[in-house]
Amino acid sequence: MDRVSTASMFPGVIQARDQTWTAWQQVKAPVVVPLLQLAVYICLSLSVMLFVEKVYMAVVISAVRLLGRKPEKRYKWELMSDDAELGTSAYPMVLIQIPMYNEKEVYQLSIGAACGLSWPSDRIIIQVLDDSTDESIKELVQIECRKWANKGVNIKYAIRDDRVGYKAGALRHGLTHNYVKECEYVAIFDADFQPEPDFLLRTIPFLIHNPKVALVQGRWTFGTTPSLLSCPSTKKFSRFSENTGVLLYEEKKLSTYLYLIAYKTHGAGLGSGPFEEMSLDYHFFVEQQVGSSTYGFFGFNGTAGVWRMSAIHEAGGWKDRTTVEDMDLSIRASLKGWKYIFLKDLEVKSELPSTFKAFRHQQHRWSCGPANLFRKMLLEICKNKKVTLWTKIYVIYSFFFIRKIVGHIVTFIFYCIVIPMTVFVPEVQIPKWGLVYIPSVITLLNSVGTPRSFHLLMFWVLFENVMSLHRTKATLSGLLEAGGRVNEWVVTEKLGDIMKKSKASKKPRLRIGDRLHLMELCTGIYLFFCGCYDLANGKNHYYIYLYLQAIAFIIVGFGYVGTFVPQY
């Protein structure tokens, strides 16, 4: 019997394929090629702008370090000392605000660290702003406050009737109490932050001796909690709370972070902790230092900082119009002429997001909020007459446009959409300097904040490209003020709540919806298809990158990323 041809068996399929190919050829040259070429030119232009910004900051930070321009040398600073005549009244009154929301796992650590600050007990007020909705947690926090009050600490437990304004609303409400009126400065610490005892002794002198300084910001350091599957011994952890079961991990080991475990109980994943840390370290080591050293301006990080109370009031107080109330206040205060100081050597321990879900919510807030704030404050910044033209340019172009908008959008659009699409349109060529050289330099400059993690650089690039999808979506949502998540505030949950010592605890069940991320999966499939096409028909070897990036998207899409710690 003669072999039946494919064409005779499926005539409709072959005809449809031929028609699709013909239609593609007809629109390719007049429509697709010009549009894709325009997209390439736009992305290259944005990449150059980002490259120039990174090089500029590298030059500034190098000059700061070579010239030894530390804040102690640029600003007046004197060590606080006791006065025999004035006694403790030589120390200004300081308010410590600790905003909380159902912080069952870390409330003891944060309150204990704040109560342990070295400062005269009659010149400091600890204010615990508890927005918890769980009555049992509220009771635990109150008990902790009473315990410290019995030890002679001036600690106040403050609640309100609702959560209007979220953190901004809590901070604003906290400043309305009568006992706050006597305070000259206010230090803010989120619930997972533990300042060293000398925090106030190192920051307050800058505010006392420099009347134009409104804010002194410390640098975050990170303790991430790894899977107990890889580090079962609590002796490897730097701090362990017997009461709460909180483990804060500080050692940095590749075996702890990079693991892909097919575990029958509930699955772990590819640890994202070091990648989050690399991005944040660059922010603190470079971006914050550059702003502080050149323009006396940077965005307040919302915690681990001390504000001059009069600067907050002059700027209009805390506002909840965006999800970045800290950045909002710092912009408004800078427009009043106030200056800020960033202390690189002032480390405050904190905790990275414990799960990928928590990290996604945090990144949405950090991407959507600044874009939305830029939309609302652009004209106000342009019309301001108290700051110099160069400061306006820095805030609008460098601080907002390049870092908060271009940096997110160009990463996803260029590297995950435009470049893969060019494999189907070989007429569109991307120059090697824009494809290889500029991204390589930007990547190397981004790694200077965390040199000990240089060996993870390739994984970090892939992970950041995956996260750029989420950040781009959030940025566009904030810019256009579209969607219902523009002002969404999801508290970053801490890891301590799943680290129980009880052996009777049950394994948590994860719903499929919590593990699957369709946007990442679809992008991964698209990149994989582009890689296959390039392998079969291309000449530029794009498939090497496309396959690696596709794998990264698919791993994230199936939920195998983050830290999932089984209860034991």
Side-chain angles (χ1 to χ4, degrees):
M1 182 181 292
D2 294 335
R3 182 175 298 175
V4 179
S5 66
T6 304
S8 61
M9 292 180 62
F10 305 102
V13 174
I14 301 301
Q15 184 179 4
R17 184 194 67 182
D18 293 341
Q19 290 176 350
T20 301
W21 179 255
T22 302
W24 165 251
Q25 293 299 321
Q26 289 177 348
V27 300
K28 179 181 177 182
V31 179
V32 177
V33 172
L35 289 178
L36 188 56
Q37 190 67 66
L38 177 62
V40 169
Y41 289 150
I42 293 175
C43 289
L44 287 175
S45 300
L46 295 177
S47 295
V48 170
M49 295 166 67
L50 186 61
F51 169 78
V52 171
E53 175 69 11
K54 296 291 184 180
V55 172
Y56 161 74
M57 289 194 291
V59 171
V60 172
I61 207 66
S62 299
V64 168
R65 295 185 180 181
L66 288 174
L67 299 176
R69 288 174 54 83
K70 292 185 177 182
E72 291 82 356
K73 295 182 178 180
R74 296 172 47 233
Y75 295 92
K76 187 177 180 181
W77 186 89
E78 294 180 7
L79 185 66
M80 298 290 296
S81 59
D82 296 332
D83 190 299
E85 296 183 0
L86 298 177
T88 58
S89 61
Y91 292 79
M93 281 294 298
V94 179
L95 175 69
I96 308 295
Q97 288 188 311
I98 309 175
M100 289 189 173
Y101 176 73
N102 294 335
E103 304 290 358
K104 183 178 181 180
E105 296 76 32
V106 294
Y107 73 93
Q108 288 178 310
L109 291 175
S110 57
I111 293 175
C115 293
L117 289 170
S118 298
W119 202 257
S121 59
D122 61 332
R123 307 300 293 172
I124 187 172
I125 301 174
I126 312 294
Q127 187 184 62
V128 179
L129 304 170
D130 193 4
D131 269 359
S132 299
T133 54
D134 190 318
E135 293 299 327
S136 63
I137 297 177
K138 278 187 175 182
E139 184 177 355
L140 290 174
V141 176
Q142 290 184 66
I143 292 173
E144 185 70 12
C145 291
R146 285 197 295 268
K147 183 185 78 173
W148 284 103
N150 292 333
K151 295 180 180 180
V153 176
N154 188 3
I155 186 169
K156 307 290 185 180
Y157 178 76
I159 59 174
R160 53 191 182 132
D161 297 330
D162 51 49
R163 292 189 65 221
V164 174
Y166 303 108
K167 181 181 175 181
L171 295 172
R172 181 174 60 234
H173 185 266
L175 297 181
T176 61
H177 294 276
N178 290 329
Y179 58 80
V180 173
K181 295 179 180 179
E182 56 183 317
C183 297
E184 298 178 53
Y185 308 107
V186 54
I188 302 168
F189 300 103
D190 284 350
D192 56 321
F193 280 72
Q194 296 89 45
E196 295 296 328
D198 64 347
F199 182 88
L200 295 179
L201 294 174
R202 297 178 62 182
T203 55
I204 296 296
F206 284 104
L207 296 165
I208 292 176
H209 300 294
N210 301 276
K212 291 295 184 181
V213 173
L215 165 69
V216 180
Q217 171 77 57
R219 177 171 64 87
W220 301 3
T221 57
F222 309 100
T224 57
T225 314
S227 170
L228 295 182
L229 298 174
S230 58
C231 291
S233 173
T234 57
K235 294 180 180 179
K236 294 185 178 181
F237 293 85
S238 62
R239 297 194 304 284
F240 177 70
S241 172
E242 293 289 345
N243 295 326
T244 63
V246 175
L247 300 173
L248 295 181
Y249 190 71
E250 290 178 334
E251 295 181 16
K252 307 294 188 293
K253 291 184 178 180
L254 183 62
S255 61
T256 299
Y257 288 127
L258 293 180
Y259 56 90
L260 187 59
I261 304 173
Y263 205 72
K264 190 179 288 187
T265 56
H266 108 233
L270 185 65
S272 59
F275 309 140
E276 304 162 35
E277 183 180 4
M278 289 175 71
S279 300
L280 288 170
D281 276 346
Y282 178 82
H283 168 69
F284 285 105
F285 277 103
V286 179
E287 293 179 345
Q288 297 292 71
Q289 280 198 81
V290 169
S292 175
S293 302
T294 54
Y295 300 95
F297 165 80
F298 52 82
F300 175 46
N301 295 117
T303 180
V306 186
W307 275 91
R308 188 185 300 273
M309 200 74 77
S310 59
I312 294 178
H313 295 318
E314 185 181 349
W318 295 100
K319 293 185 179 181
D320 54 15
R321 55 181 174 176
T322 68
T323 57
V324 284
E325 75 295 325
D326 44 11
M327 186 181 296
D328 189 349
L329 176 61
S330 58
I331 296 289
R332 286 184 282 112
S334 69
L335 296 180
K336 297 292 184 179
W338 291 100
K339 301 296 182 182
Y340 308 144
I341 298 177
F342 175 74
L343 300 181
K344 177 180 71 69
D345 298 326
L346 182 60
E347 300 179 356
V348 183
K349 296 175 183 178
S350 61
E351 181 181 332
L352 289 169
S354 57
T355 64
F356 182 62
K357 180 181 179 181
F359 181 62
R360 278 167 58 100
H361 283 304
Q362 182 195 70
Q363 294 303 300
H364 174 86
R365 188 170 74 246
W366 288 1
S367 300
C368 180
N372 192 233
L373 182 63
F374 179 60
R375 170 193 175 100
K376 292 179 177 180
M377 293 202 68
L378 179 60
L379 291 179
E380 184 179 347
I381 296 171
C382 293
K383 294 178 180 179
N384 185 271
K385 298 180 180 180
K386 288 191 175 183
V387 297
T388 64
L389 176 62
W390 287 112
T391 300
K392 292 182 184 180
I393 294 174
Y394 173 77
V395 174
I396 294 173
Y397 175 79
S398 180
F399 181 80
F400 272 120
F401 183 65
I402 297 296
R403 299 183 204 171
K404 310 301 181 184
I405 298 175
V406 170
H408 301 324
I409 294 177
V410 74
T411 301
F412 177 69
I413 299 297
F414 191 34
Y415 300 108
C416 300
I417 294 182
V418 173
I419 291 178
M421 193 174 292
T422 59
V423 303
F424 303 109
V425 188
E427 294 89 345
V428 177
Q429 296 294 320
I430 303 176
K432 186 174 290 186
W433 58 264
L435 191 66
V436 179
Y437 301 146
I438 283 183
S440 298
V441 173
I442 291 176
T443 300
L444 291 174
L445 292 176
N446 279 330
S447 68
V448 299
T450 317
R452 66 181 177 278
S453 299
F454 187 78
H455 56 290
L456 301 178
L457 200 56
M458 183 184 73
F459 299 100
W460 176 77
V461 170
L462 297 176
F463 180 75
E464 283 293 292
N465 286 352
V466 174
M467 287 308 303
S468 68
L469 164 63
H470 196 59
R471 292 171 181 145
T472 298
K473 177 186 173 184
T475 300
L476 293 176
S477 176
L479 273 178
L480 303 176
E481 218 164 41
R485 297 185 61 193
V486 175
N487 292 314
E488 180 186 48
W489 182 284
V490 179
V491 176
T492 304
E493 55 187 312
K494 314 303 183 297
L495 250 184
D497 60 346
I498 58 174
M499 287 193 167
K500 307 298 182 185
K501 298 180 67 177
S502 173
K503 296 182 179 179
S505 60
K506 297 180 180 180
K507 303 171 189 176
R509 294 181 179 180
L510 293 180
R511 296 177 299 176
I512 294 178
D514 293 334
R515 290 295 298 267
L516 292 180
H517 307 294
L518 294 181
M519 292 183 65
E520 284 84 351
L521 280 175
C522 292
T523 306
I525 294 171
Y526 162 71
L527 291 171
F528 185 79
F529 177 73
C530 293
C532 292
Y533 187 90
D534 186 66
L535 179 62
N537 304 290
K539 299 179 181 179
N540 295 319
H541 303 290
Y542 288 175
Y543 64 87
I544 299 175
Y545 158 74
L546 293 172
Y547 280 146
L548 289 173
Q549 192 63 70
I551 291 172
F553 268 99
I554 291 172
I555 288 175
V556 174
F558 279 113
Y560 282 94
V561 65
T563 304
F564 294 91
V565 185
Q567 296 177 336
Y568 69 103

